[in-house]
Amino acid sequence: MKLVVTGGAGYIGSVVTSQLLDAGHDVTVVDDLSTGHEDAVPPGATFVRARIHDIGDHLDGADGVLHFAAKSLVGESVESPELYWENNVVGSFALLEAVRAAGVPRFVFSSTAACYGEPDVSPITEDVTPAPINPYGHSKYAVDLMLTGYARAHGLGATSLRYFNVGGARGRFGERHAVETHLIPNVLMVPAGKRERMNIFGDDYDTPDGTAVRDYLHVVDLGRAHLLALDTSEAGRHRVFNLGSGTGYSVREVLDTCRSVTDHDIPADAQPRRPGDPTTLVASSARARAELGWSPEYGIDEIVTDAWDFMRSGVAAERS
Ligand code: UDP
């Protein structure tokens, strides 16, 4: 297929672009390089430096759009909600209008577990009513709602993939954020010599060891779900899938995995909770398993091993 990937110079977008190219697709990456890196765009993809607001005629003849480009920091979204409405909502609206004008039949969107806010059920199914609690979650859910309307009114085959916690790398494609807020890369900075200790944000949660529980998914498994979503897309239907492993790990369990993978004792300090962090977020991916035929192949050990190899060398054995 002829595909356009927005945000293909970023972490997840570059990994999925590499998988799409390996599967034989023709890929154009559109990225404004506001947070992405041009050298992360996989060789073989055509690169266009542009905002999603100004996608112009780059969608002509496309069979599908995979839309990763977004602002994605919860804390920043609380401080500067306008950035999230302008980039994620206004930008996605402009992109969808361009999709409609060009008659592109398939659209796969990076949605998020943040749509669910702080649900009191676990695991979280797609039937849980979205109730986002910060502008990042609001902005992503707003686009999900747009897709429902565009599918119904204009026949778009749309899929929202609600990511839980994503980690790991695919060879030289991995996580390179200027401001790193995520747990695994932050922990690995200690054995990498980039910081002395790591912080545990909250050790008084109502969980077995007091630290928050999340569902970590390998980026390669996440990427495979995008290819399946494209292949199974149906005109006029908006589908929503939660993507996670179905297993929760506490911050301390992730820290222990990092210690054993790196063979470093990684000193850690308990700090106050990070505002807005829910206690537990674990996905039910039963729907993705049933309708996409998807299931994750890799676990927390591979996630940490591949993130560590990426951080050390930028080059690691590829998982297909
Ligand atoms: N966390 C932590 N120390 C860090 C970074 C994150 O204890 O240096 C915790 C964070 O409070 C949350 C979990 O690790 O409970 C996962 O955070 P992350 O930012 O990776 O993903 P989120 O679940 O917030 O999207």
Side-chain angles (χ1 to χ4, degrees), residues 165 181-183 186 199-201 212 214 216 251 274 277:
N165 291 60
T181 61
H182 293 123
L183 177 63
N186 262 304
N199 292 317
I200 295 173
F201 296 134
R214 295 288 181 275
Y216 296 86
V251 171
R274 204 167 60 174
D277 274 351

Side-chain angles (χ1 to χ4, degrees), residues 6-316:
T6 75
Y11 169 38
I12 299 172
S14 65
V15 168
V16 179
T17 297
S18 74
Q19 292 173 302
L20 292 167
L21 290 168
D22 286 355
H25 296 291
D26 170 337
V27 184
T28 297
V29 164
V30 177
D31 197 300
D32 66 3
L33 300 182
S34 55
T35 53
H37 310 271
E38 190 167 350
D39 65 3
V41 176
T46 303
F47 175 60
V48 175
R49 184 171 184 174
R51 298 188 81 204
I52 51 176
H53 306 63
D54 311 312
I55 201 118
D57 55 11
H58 297 294
L59 300 182
D60 288 350
D63 299 301
V65 170
L66 296 99
H67 179 31
F68 298 94
K71 294 257 166 217
S72 60
L73 300 176
V74 170
E76 180 187 63
S77 83
V78 174
E79 305 266 305
S80 307
E82 62 284 359
L83 289 178
Y84 285 71
W85 287 95
E86 217 284 310
N87 284 283
N88 296 3
V89 181
V90 176
S92 296
F93 175 62
L95 176 64
L96 269 178
E97 279 295 273
V99 160
R100 180 159 79 100
V104 180
R106 299 173 189 81
F107 195 92
V108 180
F109 175 58
S110 304
S111 187
T112 170
C115 289
Y116 297 113
E118 296 183 287
D120 49 16
V121 294
S122 187
I124 301 168
T125 64
E126 296 82 356
D127 297 325
V128 171
T129 305
I133 54 167
N134 51 59
Y136 168 63
H138 295 149
S139 71
K140 286 285 178 174
Y141 185 47
V143 178
D144 282 346
L145 294 173
M146 275 185 221
L147 291 174
T148 301
Y150 274 64
R152 189 177 298 149
H154 304 308
L156 185 65
T159 309
S160 292
L161 299 176
R162 292 200 175 136
Y163 308 166
F164 282 62
N165 291 60
V166 184
R170 184 173 196 244
R172 72 176 194 83
F173 306 109
E175 211 163 352
R176 288 159 66 190
H177 296 127
V179 182
E180 191 49 77
T181 61
H182 293 123
L183 177 63
I184 294 171
N186 262 304
V187 174
L188 294 176
M189 278 180 205
V190 179
K194 293 181 192 160
R195 56 186 296 168
E196 299 214 329
R197 313 174 67 81
M198 68 84 59
N199 292 317
I200 295 173
F201 296 134
D203 65 351
D204 57 350
Y205 285 101
D206 184 15
T207 59
D209 68 15
T211 65
V213 171
R214 295 288 181 275
D215 182 336
Y216 296 86
L217 184 64
H218 198 294
V219 67
V220 166
D221 284 325
L222 179 83
R224 273 193 303 109
H226 293 70
L227 277 77
L228 292 166
L230 275 176
D231 288 344
T232 57
S233 176
E234 288 171 45
R237 196 164 161 224
H238 177 214
R239 304 173 301 168
V240 176
F241 296 107
N242 291 345
L243 295 181
S245 69
T247 305
Y249 292 93
S250 71
V251 171
R252 281 196 198 284
E253 286 174 320
V254 172
L255 177 57
D256 283 341
T257 305
C258 292
R259 285 175 172 146
S260 81
V261 165
T262 63
D263 202 20
H264 189 291
D265 54 7
I266 313 184
D269 302 307
Q271 303 287 354
R273 296 181 184 194
R274 204 167 60 174
D277 274 351
T279 303
T280 299
L281 285 176
V282 177
S284 163
S285 293
R287 186 186 283 178
R289 288 170 194 265
E291 288 193 33
L292 295 178
W294 173 86
S295 61
E297 284 178 30
Y298 304 114
I300 191 74
D301 290 336
E302 285 105 342
I303 292 172
V304 172
T305 300
D306 291 355
W308 177 231
D309 286 346
F310 176 78
M311 186 176 277
R312 274 191 304 177
S313 62
V315 179

